[in-house]
Amino acid sequence: MPSWFRQSARPEAVIAPPAVAPDLRLYAIGDVHGRPDLLRRLHGMIADDARGAPQSRKRVVYLGDYIDRGPDSKGVIDILVAEPLEGFEAIHLEGNHEHALLGFLVDIRFAPMWLGNGGAATLASYGVPVPDPGRPAELLETQERLLAALPQAHRAFLRSLELSHSAGDYFFVHAGVRPGRPLDRQDSEDLLWIRDPFLGSQADFGKVVVHGHTISRAPEICDNRIGIDTGAFASGHLTCLVLEGDSRTLLQT
C-alpha cells in the first residue's frame, strides 16, 4: 500500500431522531381533570392546526385523568363521547383516576383513595351527594346512586379505556413505565401510577414515553420521556404535544 494512502476512519453511525409515520399527524393531550372548557378550546386549536396537513392521517391520543379535581368531570366525558374531533382517530387511555372510579363502582373499599384524590368533584358533577368515607352504609348508597347517574354511554366509555398506545418511536401511557422492563411486559399498576423510578431514570425505554400524571409547570421534554401534565384543573394550561415525522411542537390553552 503506498505510503500516501491512508484508510479513512470508520464513520460514526447517524442516530435518527424519534419519529412517527410520515403520513401521520398525532396529537397527545395531557390530564384534563374536569375542565371541559379547556378541552373544548384545545380541540378548536387542534382542528385549526390540522388544517395545515389536509393529506395526513390525524390521530388524537388522550393520556387519561379526564375526571376528578376540576368542576365538571361529567362535561369532559360528554365531550369525549359525543363531540369527537371530526376526521380524527381517537385513542383514549386510562388514568389512575378513572381506575379508582371504576374500582369504587364494584368495591366501596376504593372510596377513601378516590374521594381523597378529587373524586368528590366527580360525584358532584353527576349530582350525587358526597358521602362520609367512614360510613359503609353511606358508601354503598353512593355507589348505587353513581351507577344510576352514569349514562350508559359514559359507563361504556370508561370500560373501553386502553392502558397504552404505540406509534412509531413513541409510547403513550398515563403515568410512565418501569425501567428495565420491556414495553410489552409492563405492569398495569406502573402504567397507571408510577412516579419516581420512572421520572428519575435516564434509561433508554426502547421508545420515547409520552405521559401525564405528574404535574409540571411546563412540559418536560427529555431524551427518554415527554411529560405534558401541566395541572390544567388549577393552572388553566391544558397541553397538547404535536408529532409529525420527526418534528415536535406544542399547543396549549
Side-chain angles (χ1 to χ4, degrees):
M1 182 180 294
S3 59
W4 46 263
F5 183 89
R6 294 178 184 273
Q7 186 174 3
S8 61
R10 180 177 296 175
E12 293 185 3
V14 176
I15 300 176
V20 295
D23 64 338
L24 174 66
R25 184 176 286 196
L26 188 150
Y27 299 82
I29 298 177
D31 304 32
V32 183
H33 275 310
R35 291 295 302 268
D37 55 331
L38 301 181
L39 179 59
R40 189 171 278 113
R41 193 186 313 166
L42 187 59
H43 272 186
M45 296 169 69
I46 291 171
D48 288 342
D49 182 80
R51 293 189 184 99
Q55 305 305 318
S56 296
R57 293 184 294 128
K58 301 172 184 65
R59 182 180 305 162
V60 58
V61 180
Y62 301 86
L63 298 180
D65 279 7
Y66 315 112
I67 62 169
D68 297 351
R69 294 183 174 163
D72 191 3
S73 295
K74 180 181 182 296
V76 172
I77 305 299
D78 280 334
I79 292 173
L80 296 175
V81 169
E83 301 177 37
L85 278 163
E86 186 175 354
F88 284 73
E89 175 191 3
I91 306 293
H92 302 101
L93 302 186
E94 181 177 353
N96 59 302
H97 286 257
E98 288 79 44
H99 182 75
L101 181 151
L102 289 168
F104 174 72
L105 291 177
V106 297
D107 188 343
I108 62 171
R109 287 177 293 182
F110 277 82
M113 176 185 65
W114 180 47
L115 296 175
N117 283 283
T122 296
L123 288 175
S125 77
Y126 283 96
V128 177
V130 178
D132 181 341
R135 295 178 178 271
E138 281 191 31
L139 293 176
L140 286 169
E141 183 178 359
T142 300
Q143 184 187 67
E144 292 177 3
R145 287 185 174 184
L146 182 57
L147 281 166
L150 276 171
Q152 183 58 40
H154 288 210
R155 288 196 226 176
F157 171 80
L158 291 166
R159 290 169 178 156
S160 72
L161 300 176
E162 303 177 36
L163 286 172
S164 65
H165 178 69
S166 185
D169 299 317
Y170 292 89
F171 186 75
F172 303 85
V173 69
H174 177 62
V177 299
R178 176 71 56 179
R181 185 174 295 172
L183 294 179
D184 61 356
R185 296 178 59 190
Q186 292 287 323
D187 184 88
S188 61
E189 189 80 5
D190 288 326
L191 298 177
L192 293 168
W193 293 93
I194 198 168
R195 289 195 197 276
D196 292 345
F198 165 66
L199 298 172
S201 176
Q202 303 300 313
D204 180 349
F205 301 127
K207 296 191 176 192
V208 178
V209 177
V210 180
H211 66 96
H213 187 57
T214 299
I215 295 173
S216 55
R217 289 190 175 183
E220 293 188 334
I221 301 178
C222 308
D223 290 339
N224 60 353
R225 68 176 182 88
I226 300 175
I228 56 171
D229 179 2
T230 44
F233 71 95
S235 70
H237 301 309
L238 180 59
T239 298
C240 174
L241 172 68
V242 187
L243 301 172
E244 185 172 30
D246 61 7
S247 73
R248 300 169 178 167
T249 55
L250 292 165
L251 299 174
Q252 190 175 69
T253 59

